[in-house]
């Protein structure tokens, strides 16, 4: 299925100065946002108490939130779970509640004190409120999750770079590394800008963005290698342009249908997967644009040529080994 003419020759590389400038600007802006605004970390990363509350009749999350704020509970996060009769309330313990890690206070005790305050406030407004579950995450555990998540993203990107170095050539590995860093930073920068909650599902989707983005680039890189080997007199810029044009339909169709799937997940999957779906939607857009406008210009700037991708004969290899 083709929605674009595979034999078209739109000059994508002619826009490389503008596309690289825009990409660099987005990366710088994203780093600034991450450093200045930071992320709105979820309970898993900052610690706190989560209480699942069930009602015998439908309840509005805004009413629950207002009830808790009126009772003096700061910044409660209220989410609907599995319909209109069950909500999850997330709250960080205050100093007067006591925190796990302080002398003589355990995590269960901290969770009990906060959950008791939550339920007292909710029952005063709606006597049909009942607590079905409570949990506590300490701040030290959250810090470990943040560092482990960072290591996971770095490990995946470096592993992909090594794979491309072996499969293609070092210039392709460098181009992939730069574009993957671009895609991840821009995606995270949007989260820092909007202050959407950053939880474990978002972290998982960031790793999925890395995988999705590199898949797009491998398709283009494969076509670049194929055209370099089959073209006799074409310049590197011509080969890169033809590669992008010939894979454009595949790139757009894959992105479109994956985006539709994520949109359906966001609309009908419930609050638990909103962060995952939103992150992948952002990553799909960013990754698709970087595959078209960023990866190939970086390859051209690095000086990729036909000789770099031609299979080497035994004579060439022996010449390389001579001192």
């Amino acid at each position: 299925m083709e929605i674009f003419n595979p034999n078209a020759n739109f000059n994508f590389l002619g826009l490389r100065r503008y596309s690289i400038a825009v990409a660099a600007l987005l990366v710088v802006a994203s780093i600034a946002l991450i450093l200045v605004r930071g992320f709105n970390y979820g309970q898993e990363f900052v610690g706190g108490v989560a209480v699942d509350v069930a009602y015998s009749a439908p309840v509005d999350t805004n009413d629950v939130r207002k009830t808790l704020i009126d009772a003096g509970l700061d910044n409660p996060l209220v989410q609907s779970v599995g319909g209109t009769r069950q909500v999850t309330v997330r709250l960080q313990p205050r100093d007067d509640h006591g925190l796990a890690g302080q002398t003589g206070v355990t995590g269960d005790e901290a969770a009990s004190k906060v959950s008791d305050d939550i339920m007292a406030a909710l029952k005063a407004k709606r006597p049909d409120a009942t607590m079905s579950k409570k949990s506590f995450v300490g701040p030290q555990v959250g810090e470990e999750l943040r560092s482990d998540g960072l290591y996971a993203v770095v490990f995946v990107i470096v592993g992909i770079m090594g794979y491309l170095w072996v499969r293609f050539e070092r210039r392709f590995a460098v181009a992939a590394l730069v574009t993957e860093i671009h895609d991840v930073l821009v995606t995270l920068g949007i989260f820092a800008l909007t202050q959407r909650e950053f939880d474990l599902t978002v972290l998982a989707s960031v790793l999925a963005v890395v995988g999705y983005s590199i898949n797009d680039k491998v398709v283009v890189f494969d076509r670049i290698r194929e055209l370099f080997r089959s073209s006799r007199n074409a310049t590197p810029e011509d080969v890169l342009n033809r590669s992008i044009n010939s894979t454009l339909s595949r790139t757009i169709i894959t992105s479109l249908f994956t985006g539709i799937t994520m949109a359906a997940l966001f609309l009908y999957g419930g609050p638990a997967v909103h962060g995952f779906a939103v992150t992948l939607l952002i990553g799909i857009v960013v990754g698709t644009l970087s595959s078209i406008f960023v990866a190939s210009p970086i390859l051209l700037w690095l000086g990729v040529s036909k000789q770099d991708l031609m299979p080497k004969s035994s004579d060439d290899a022996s010449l390389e080994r001579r001192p």
Side-chain angles (χ1 to χ4, degrees), residues 134-270:
K134 64 182 177 182
S135 60
F136 176 84
V137 177
Q140 290 182 342
V141 176
E143 183 64 32
E144 291 177 4
L145 285 174
R146 274 186 280 179
S147 59
D148 290 346
L150 176 61
Y151 295 150
V153 173
V154 172
F155 177 80
V156 169
I157 293 177
V158 172
I160 289 173
M161 180 183 177
Y163 163 73
L164 291 178
W165 195 309
V166 173
R167 177 171 176 176
F168 294 99
E169 197 260 348
R170 63 180 177 84
R171 292 175 178 85
F172 289 84
V174 173
L177 175 65
V178 173
T179 50
E180 287 302 304
I181 292 174
H182 163 273
D183 296 349
V184 170
L185 285 177
V186 173
T187 302
L188 294 178
I190 293 174
F191 263 80
L193 175 65
T194 59
Q195 289 294 291
R196 289 189 63 92
E197 184 180 12
F198 193 98
D199 55 17
L200 285 177
T201 62
V202 173
L203 177 59
S205 60
V206 169
L207 295 174
V209 166
V210 174
Y212 178 88
S213 179
I214 201 62
N215 179 65
D216 258 359
K217 291 163 184 58
V218 167
V219 171
V220 179
F221 288 170
D222 264 329
R223 187 57 56 88
I224 290 172
R225 179 172 58 180
E226 176 186 332
L227 291 179
F228 259 126
R229 292 178 175 179
S230 62
S231 302
R232 293 189 176 184
N233 300 318
T235 64
E237 184 172 347
D238 290 337
V239 170
L240 295 173
N241 265 325
R242 287 171 55 194
S243 300
I244 298 172
N245 279 281
S246 61
T247 58
L248 188 60
S249 289
R250 182 264 174 204
T251 297
I252 299 300
I253 290 173
T254 302
S255 301
L256 179 62
F257 281 98
T258 309
I260 291 173
T261 302
M262 290 301 106
L265 190 64
F266 177 81
L267 293 173
Y268 304 109

Side-chain angles (χ1 to χ4, degrees), residues 182-184 186-187 190 213 217 281-291:
H182 163 273
D183 296 349
V184 170
V186 173
T187 302
I190 293 174
S213 179
K217 291 163 184 58
L281 280 171
I282 296 171
I284 288 168
V285 175
V286 174
T288 300
L289 292 176
S290 70
S291 297

Side-chain angles (χ1 to χ4, degrees), residues 21-50:
V22 171
L25 181 63
L26 288 174
V27 168
V28 172
S30 297
I31 293 174
L33 285 168
I34 293 171
L35 294 177
V36 175
R37 291 177 63 90
F39 298 115
N40 178 24
Y41 287 111
Q43 182 199 15
E44 299 95 334
F45 295 110
V46 298
V49 175

Side-chain angles (χ1 to χ4, degrees), residues 9-125:
N9 194 28
F10 183 81
N11 188 13
F12 289 101
L13 272 295
L15 303 173
R16 61 184 179 274
R17 294 180 180 176
Y18 302 103
S19 61
I20 292 296
V22 171
L25 181 63
L26 288 174
V27 168
V28 172
S30 297
I31 293 174
L33 285 168
I34 293 171
L35 294 177
V36 175
R37 291 177 63 90
F39 298 115
N40 178 24
Y41 287 111
Q43 182 199 15
E44 299 95 334
F45 295 110
V46 298
V49 175
V51 179
D52 289 349
V53 183
Y55 289 86
S56 59
V59 65
D60 186 85
T61 54
N62 292 325
D63 293 338
V64 175
R65 187 179 299 108
K66 184 177 183 303
T67 299
L68 295 173
I69 293 174
D70 291 343
L73 299 175
D74 299 327
N75 300 319
L77 176 63
V78 182
Q79 294 178 316
S80 176
V81 180
T84 60
R85 299 189 181 189
Q86 186 171 356
V87 298
T88 295
V89 178
R90 299 178 186 269
L91 199 68
Q92 288 183 263
R94 303 180 314 214
D95 292 339
D96 57 336
H97 289 133
L99 291 169
Q102 293 179 347
T103 304
V105 180
T106 66
D108 289 339
E109 290 173 345
S112 295
K113 291 180 180 180
V114 178
S115 60
D116 288 345
D117 285 349
I118 290 173
M119 293 310 301
L122 296 181
K123 282 182 172 293
K125 182 74 173 181

